[in-house]
Amino acid sequence: MGISQDTIKQVTAQLYDRSLRGIPKDTEAALRRADAAESNETARHTLRIMLQSAEAAQREQHFICSDAGVPVYFVKVGAQARFDGSVRQAITDGFAELVASIQPPLLPHVTHPLTLERGYQGKGMPIVTFDMVDDCDYVEITCSPKALGSGRWAALQIFSFPDLKTIETFVLDTVIQAGSQPCPPVVIGVGIGGTFDYAAKMAKEATLRPIGEKHPEKIVADMERRLVQAVNQTGFGPMGTGGDSTAMAVHVNYCAGHGFTPVAVAFNCWINRRTKARLYNDGRVETLE
Amino acid sequence: MAVQEHRLNFPLSEADARRLRAGDLVTLDGEIVVTAGMPTHERLLRCLDGDEPLPMQLQEASVMHLGSYSREADGRFEVLYINPTTSTRFNPFMPRLLRGFRWHAVGGKGGLDRASAEALQEVGGVYLSFLGGGCTLLSHAIEEVRQVGWSDMLTHYRLVRLKVKGLGPTTVGIDAQGRSLYDDEKAAAQARRAAIIAQMDAAR
């Protein structure tokens, strides 16, 4: 027995569907903490409406946001996992079936980058990345669809031998540039080092880390603490109309590299879409988020 | 200072718009026109230039940047859900549209630029910030589709006059005095930048 194409198809479609109708538990808790700590009354109102909106969407099985974004999947493949069929095709088919049946229907956000034609399918869609993981017999799939509001404000710059101050200032300036646009309070992911493409991947993966989970290395955890304080001192607040809650978290990932150091910054809006499941060789499916 | 909450009838009158202050909360009853289209904004400018007739009365209307999923069934146009879209995309169009149509309320998410804020001040209009990610709550407020303009366009690009009840609350992001919370927050963040960096230095 192995992980069937049909199971992957169904699970990935469900992960996408579920990511649109609720927020992760850690995110709900972070919004409640922000509400308790917020000094700006308008901002507190906005935070409470955010919580009400998430709760109503969950209860009524409706969407939190009309922008369902583009489907994005991160797949960690256990070295002992066995597949019965094509994983890529299963995810593509799952999304196609979802689009045909989902209620309420999705707006066609998948856009051809050269002709600006819109639809539900397109070259390279869904966006799927695969990583190999040793010593396990499952595949772990995270769905984090990306919408325009937060996707637009990501940034990447390549430095040569930057010091910590240079890196942290770049992150701060990216946040100031984004301002009200990515629907704060956001989760910010920062990727430092490696190569151009890898820094961006690390930044995106950093947004997926549960809120409250610190980086295990002190030098990085300290940087995360400095950055989240710095970002929240900018004063943009919920939806950018002022307040103390601009970021729920700043997560940093890094990788060794050469003397050129790419620094990438990615944003997740307050909904912080993230669902995750593990599919085992014996057919079991475990929902993690 | 306590937040001022208002429940107002739309389209918003100039007098009501001028009474609102940035940071106030507004819940909407009445009629609004929604669209999420760049081509729609371009087309509206052509109407102002006299190149094409308007599909509906838009003078002193309340026009919101709300994306919507709509469908036509049995000859009826039905809006299943609405949610704000990023207004800054429409910055290049808004000053002329605001002055040409004397819109006393516009809205969406993310705000508008200084040129639009000046136009709002001139005509007596406000910008309302809707909750990004308020789809379920905002959609509850739809009572009726009153009119649809430009049926030749994609549904969410069309101009749709909606009757709403209890839409919001929204935050006044830009008021008719020309105060913009977006400009204020950006300027404040820029002004604090050096101090924030110094604080990070001290903590390193």
Side-chain angles (χ1 to χ4, degrees), chain B residues 32-182:
Chain B
I32 58 169
V33 176
V34 306
T35 183
M38 291 281 272
T40 319
H41 284 68
E42 287 167 8
R43 203 165 169 182
L44 284 169
L45 285 181
R46 288 203 295 278
C47 293
L48 275 183
D49 290 338
D51 295 340
E52 159 169 31
L54 276 171
M56 60 171 69
Q57 204 286 108
L58 286 169
Q59 204 65 26
E60 304 202 50
S62 293
V63 176
M64 306 294 161
H65 301 140
L66 292 172
S68 58
Y69 188 97
S70 312
R71 67 182 173 198
E72 279 168 300
D74 306 325
R76 283 187 58 239
F77 189 83
E78 191 186 5
V79 177
L80 295 187
Y81 56 81
I82 52 172
N83 200 55
T85 189
T86 306
S87 296
T88 45
R89 291 189 285 141
F90 307 112
N91 276 334
F93 311 101
M94 293 306 284
R96 276 192 61 207
L97 293 175
L98 285 162
R99 289 191 176 98
F101 290 114
R102 299 190 63 80
W103 289 340
H104 302 304
V106 293
K109 77 170 191 73
L112 289 169
D113 65 4
R114 181 51 22 203
S116 304
E118 284 166 10
L120 281 167
Q121 186 174 11
E122 209 176 293
V123 304
V126 294
Y127 176 88
L128 301 173
S129 166
F130 287 78
L131 179 67
C135 187
T136 309
L137 297 177
L138 296 172
S139 302
H140 285 166
I142 303 170
E143 285 211 307
E144 189 190 333
V145 175
R146 287 259 162 103
Q147 205 177 357
V148 182
W150 285 329
S151 295
D152 54 320
M153 300 183 97
L154 289 176
T155 54
H156 57 288
Y157 285 180
R158 296 177 193 176
L159 288 162
V160 181
R161 192 186 301 277
L162 286 178
K163 182 166 184 276
V164 295
K165 190 175 178 187
L167 180 66
T170 61
T171 304
V172 179
I174 305 173
D175 67 24
Q177 279 66 46
R179 182 175 173 212
S180 163
L181 295 181
Y182 307 97

Side-chain angles (χ1 to χ4, degrees), chain A residues 41-42 45-46 49-50 52-54 56-57 59-60 62-67 103-108 118 120 148-149 153 164-165 168-169 172-173 176-183 226-227 229-231 233-236 239-243 270-271, chain B residues 1-3 5 23-25 67-71 80-84 86 88-89 109-111 129-137 139-140 154-157 168-169 171-173 181-182 185-186 188-190 192-193 195-197 199-201 203-204:
Chain A
E41 200 185 335
T42 304
H45 272 272
T46 305
I49 307 165
M50 284 172 174
Q52 282 171 28
S53 174
R59 187 180 60 240
E60 297 172 31
H62 201 282
F63 299 155
I64 303 183
C65 183
S66 61
D67 189 343
Q103 289 302 328
L106 298 178
L107 279 163
R118 281 170 171 249
Y120 296 106
L148 188 152
W153 298 96
L164 293 183
K165 178 176 183 156
E168 290 168 25
T169 301
L172 178 67
D173 285 342
I176 292 175
Q177 183 66 29
S180 61
Q181 306 293 304
C183 292
R226 281 192 298 277
L227 281 171
Q229 281 173 1
V231 169
Q233 281 167 6
T234 58
F236 287 109
M239 292 310 293
T241 52
W270 70 267
I271 302 168
Chain B
M1 202 178 79
V3 167
E5 297 186 47
D24 287 1
L25 298 179
S68 58
Y69 188 97
S70 312
R71 67 182 173 198
L80 295 187
Y81 56 81
I82 52 172
N83 200 55
T86 306
T88 45
R89 291 189 285 141
K109 77 170 191 73
S129 166
F130 287 78
L131 179 67
C135 187
T136 309
L137 297 177
S139 302
H140 285 166
L154 289 176
T155 54
H156 57 288
Y157 285 180
T171 304
V172 179
L181 295 181
Y182 307 97
E185 300 313 335
K186 198 121 193 180
Q190 288 289 3
R192 283 182 205 128
R193 181 180 177 274
I196 296 172
I197 292 170
Q199 199 171 323
M200 285 199 287
D201 287 346
R204 202 172 289 123

Side-chain angles (χ1 to χ4, degrees), chain A residues 16-72:
Chain A
Y16 188 92
D17 184 289
R18 209 153 46 74
S19 75
L20 305 176
R21 304 179 200 264
I23 58 176
K25 288 269 177 283
D26 63 343
T27 310
E28 185 188 333
L31 289 169
R32 289 193 195 286
R33 281 196 300 276
D35 176 26
E38 179 61 62
S39 66
N40 177 312
E41 200 185 335
T42 304
R44 282 204 303 277
H45 272 272
T46 305
L47 287 164
R48 283 172 202 172
I49 307 165
M50 284 172 174
L51 286 159
Q52 282 171 28
S53 174
E55 198 262 330
Q58 176 94 50
R59 187 180 60 240
E60 297 172 31
Q61 283 300 291
H62 201 282
F63 299 155
I64 303 183
C65 183
S66 61
D67 189 343
V70 291
V72 180

Side-chain angles (χ1 to χ4, degrees), chain A residues 192-248:
Chain A
I192 303 168
T195 53
F196 174 74
D197 54 324
Y198 200 68
K201 182 168 189 276
M202 287 190 291
K204 176 65 203 194
E205 282 174 345
T207 64
L208 302 176
R209 193 198 303 167
I211 297 169
E213 194 180 301
K214 290 194 186 74
H215 194 280
E217 291 180 54
K218 185 173 183 301
I219 186 172
V220 185
D222 286 348
M223 186 184 233
E224 290 176 348
R225 196 176 56 246
R226 281 192 298 277
L227 281 171
V228 77
Q229 281 173 1
V231 169
N232 284 325
Q233 281 167 6
T234 58
F236 287 109
M239 292 310 293
T241 52
D244 312 314
S245 321
T246 304
M248 292 185 274

